[in-house]
Amino acid sequence: MNHKKSSEAFGKAKKFIPGGVNSPARAFKSVNQTPLFIDKASGSRVTDIDGNEYIDYIGSWGPMILGHSHPEVLRAVENANRNGQSFGAPTLIETEMAELISEMVPGVEMVRMVNSGTEATMSALRLARGYTGRDLVVKFEGCYHGHCDSFLIKAGSGALTLGSPDSPGVTQGSAKDTLIAKFNDISSVQEIFQEKGSEIAAVILEPVAGNMGVVKPEARFLTALRELCTQNGAVLIFDEVMCGFRVSKGGAQELYNIIPDLSAFGKVIGGGMPVGAFGGKKEIMEHLAPLGTVYQAGTLAGNPIAMAAGYTTLKILNEDKGVYEKLEEKSSALEQGLRENLDKAGVPGVVNRAGSMLTLFFTGLQEVSTHSHAVSSDTGRFADYYNKCLREGIYFPPSQFEALFVSLAHSDEDISYTIDKSYEALKSL
Ligand SMILES: *Cc1c(COP(=O)(O)O)cnc(C)c1O
C-alpha cells in the first residue's frame, strides 16, 4: 500500500498545525505511524488521498453509527443548508431534537445542546456545582471526559490525596477540586465520601468506559454509586458521550437501568457534525440560564445544519426496526471471531465488548475490568498487530486504549474479512 501523498500532506500540515493534526489521537503516534489523510468515506469504507480503501472501525471516533454518508442524513443536511447556515435564534428542529432525546434516554427530561462532548461534561459539572453549592468532583482513573481543566487530572498516590494535573496549563486550583477513584471499585468511592461527602458536588463517570479501551461496569458498582450520590446529596453524572445511543437505544442508563441525575452526550448525537448535549432531571436543568442562575451559552449551539444531521441519525436509530439487533449481530460476530483467533493463534488476550464498542487487549490476564488491568496490556504488540491489519485494508483506532466501532454499514463480508486478516496478523506476531 502506497502512502506517498499522505506522507507529503503530513509534512506540509506539520508546518502550519501543531503536530500536523487538530486532535492528538489522529497522529497515529502510539502505533509508530504517520496519519492517513482521508479523501472521502461511504458506508463502511474510507478512502485515503492515495486512493487506498479501508474497512473503517474508527467511524470518526464513534459518531458514524449508520455508516458514512448515509443517504437520509446527506439529504437532511443538504436541505437545511439551503435555508441558511445559522441564525442565532430558535428553530423548530431544536425542540424536536430535545423531545426525541428525552423520549429515547430514560434519565433526560430536559436537554441543552452544545457543540462538543467537552462542552457537555464541562457544563454539566458547572450545573451540578451551581445546584449543590459545592465544589468537589469525583472522577475515575482511566475515564476521559473531554479536555476541560477539571477532568485532566490524575490520581496522586492515594485516592484521598489531591489530584495532580495531567497537563501543563491545568492549575493546582482546578486540580484540588478533583478527586480520583477507581473504576469498578466502590470502596475507593466510599472512602472519599466518608472524608468529604458533604463537599462533593458530583460524581462523573463513563458508565461503560471506552477511553481506556472498553471496560464494562459491574452492575452492582453502578447501583452502589447511585445510592452513595443519593445519600450524600451529590449529582450523579453519566458521561454517555461515547456509549450513548450505542450500547443501547437509551444508552448505558437504559442497559443497566440506573438513572443518573445528569447525562452528557456527543459523538452519535451529531451524526458526524460538531454536536454535544447535556440533560437530566427537570429540577436540576431549570437552574440553567436564562431560567436559573447557572450561566451557560453558545453562539452556534443547536445549529440548524448540525441538528439536521443529528436528528436524522437519532430518528433512524429510534424508529427503524431491528437496528440495535443488527448492530448486536455484527458486533457479536466480530467479538467471537476475534476471540477464536486469539485461541487458535495461541496469543494471550482479552476481548471486551459493549454493544458496538469493542477492544482487543493484548494482556495475559483473564479479564479486563479495571484501569490497572487495561494498562497491563502490551502496547508494542498492539502496534505490531495494528500495522499488519492496516496493510490489509483494516482501519482500526490507532491505540490499545481506544474502542473500535461497528456500524450498521459493516457487511457480513466486512466482518469475516476482518476476522480472517486479524488471524493472519496474530499468527505472525
Ligand atoms: C469523546 C469523548 C468526550 C469529548 O468529546 P469531544 O467532542 O471530543 O469534546 C467526552 N467524554 C467521552 C466519554 C468521550 O468519549
Side-chain angles (χ1 to χ4, degrees):
M1 234 171 229
N2 183 345
H3 296 153
K4 189 165 173 290
K5 287 185 182 165
S6 276
S7 299
E8 284 168 12
F10 190 48
K12 175 159 186 193
K14 282 193 287 190
K15 288 199 189 121
F16 300 103
I17 302 171
V21 291
N22 282 313
S23 193
R26 295 179 199 169
F28 276 58
K29 267 189 168 168
S30 57
V31 290
N32 316 313
Q33 274 289 350
T34 55
L36 302 174
F37 278 59
I38 303 301
D39 181 32
K40 59 187 176 186
S42 178
S44 64
R45 307 300 172 110
V46 293
T47 307
D48 69 16
I49 60 174
D50 287 286
N52 305 305
E53 191 180 275
Y54 304 84
I55 305 174
D56 178 25
Y57 291 97
I58 298 182
S60 188
W61 301 88
M64 312 317 295
I65 194 166
L66 306 179
H68 293 281
S69 307
H70 188 282
E72 281 179 54
V73 177
L74 286 187
R75 210 174 308 126
V77 168
E78 282 161 10
N79 287 340
N81 188 43
R82 245 177 259 122
N83 292 332
Q85 290 68 54
S86 184
F87 321 118
T91 53
L92 292 174
I93 195 169
E94 291 168 88
T95 309
E96 285 179 48
M97 182 75 164
E99 189 179 10
L100 181 57
I101 296 166
S102 308
E103 187 187 317
M104 291 174 79
V105 185
V108 173
E109 293 171 354
M110 287 185 127
V111 60
R112 169 137 317 158
M113 304 309 302
V114 292
N115 305 301
S116 69
T118 295
E119 271 186 72
T121 58
M122 177 186 85
S123 308
L125 176 59
R126 182 180 309 126
L127 177 58
R129 284 172 164 161
Y131 172 73
T132 57
R134 302 172 178 181
D135 289 345
L136 301 181
V137 58
V138 178
K139 80 172 281 289
F140 293 86
E141 207 178 353
C143 283
Y144 177 69
H145 304 296
H147 65 93
C148 167
D149 284 4
S150 300
F151 302 130
L152 287 182
I153 313 290
K154 89 179 142 208
S157 46
L160 282 176
T161 55
L162 299 178
S164 65
D166 242 354
S167 161
V170 175
T171 64
Q172 284 301 336
S174 296
K176 79 170 173 37
D177 289 332
T178 302
L179 303 169
I180 310 292
K182 291 194 167 82
F183 193 82
N184 269 340
D185 176 357
I186 196 65
S187 66
S188 73
V189 193
Q190 283 161 341
E191 271 176 44
I192 293 175
F193 269 96
Q194 264 156 28
E195 193 92 352
K196 310 243 179 201
S198 62
E199 298 167 55
I200 294 169
V203 173
I204 186 169
L205 79 160
E206 293 180 72
V208 172
N211 287 288
M212 49 178 140
V214 174
V215 177
K216 296 212 268 188
E218 285 158 14
R220 57 167 195 229
F221 173 66
L222 294 182
T223 310
L225 278 182
R226 178 62 280 182
E227 282 169 9
L228 262 181
C229 285
T230 306
Q231 283 160 7
N232 290 276
V235 174
L236 179 62
I237 306 174
F238 273 11
D239 178 353
E240 299 230 31
V241 171
M242 188 187 291
C243 60
F245 312 103
R246 197 169 261 286
V247 297
S248 84
K249 191 191 278 191
Q253 52 198 273
E254 179 183 60
L255 186 63
Y256 292 94
N257 194 24
I258 301 285
I259 305 302
D261 301 302
L262 293 176
S263 306
F265 302 97
K267 301 196 167 104
V268 167
I269 208 173
M273 297 294 271
V275 178
F278 64 103
K281 297 198 167 129
K282 190 164 183 256
E283 185 214 334
I284 304 179
M285 292 299 289
E286 284 183 340
H287 284 71
L288 276 181
L291 200 52
T293 51
V294 179
Y295 193 69
Q296 190 282 330
T299 300
L300 293 171
N303 173 275
I305 300 173
M307 289 301 98
Y311 180 74
T312 306
T313 300
L314 292 191
K315 210 164 166 62
I316 290 171
L317 293 176
N318 192 40
E319 288 177 7
D320 280 18
K321 287 267 169 308
V323 166
Y324 285 91
E325 287 80 357
K326 268 183 240 159
L327 269 174
E328 182 65 23
E329 259 169 48
K330 294 170 194 292
S331 311
S332 148
L334 182 60
E335 174 191 9
Q336 283 170 28
L338 293 180
R339 208 169 269 150
E340 282 164 24
N341 283 350
L342 288 169
D343 281 348
K344 272 195 296 177
V347 172
V350 170
V351 180
N352 275 0
R353 177 176 75 84
S356 50
M357 303 162 48
L358 184 151
T359 301
L360 192 174
F361 292 97
F362 286 90
T363 173
L365 299 175
Q366 294 305 303
E367 61 161 37
V368 175
S369 59
T370 66
H371 180 246
S372 57
H373 292 165
V375 298
S376 78
S377 302
D378 183 340
T379 53
R381 196 160 231 207
F382 174 83
D384 194 7
Y385 167 75
Y386 183 88
N387 286 306
K388 286 179 163 134
C389 292
L390 187 68
R391 252 173 260 140
E392 299 299 331
I394 301 167
Y395 190 60
F396 286 140
S399 162
Q400 172 69 95
F401 306 112
E402 298 285 356
L404 70 77
F405 300 102
V406 178
S407 79
L408 284 162
H410 286 89
S411 65
D412 294 347
E413 292 71 38
D414 288 338
I415 304 280
S416 57
Y417 177 86
T418 305
I419 294 169
D420 289 349
K421 294 301 170 188
S422 155
Y423 175 63
E424 286 170 22
L426 287 172
K427 218 173 45 176
S428 68
L429 288 180

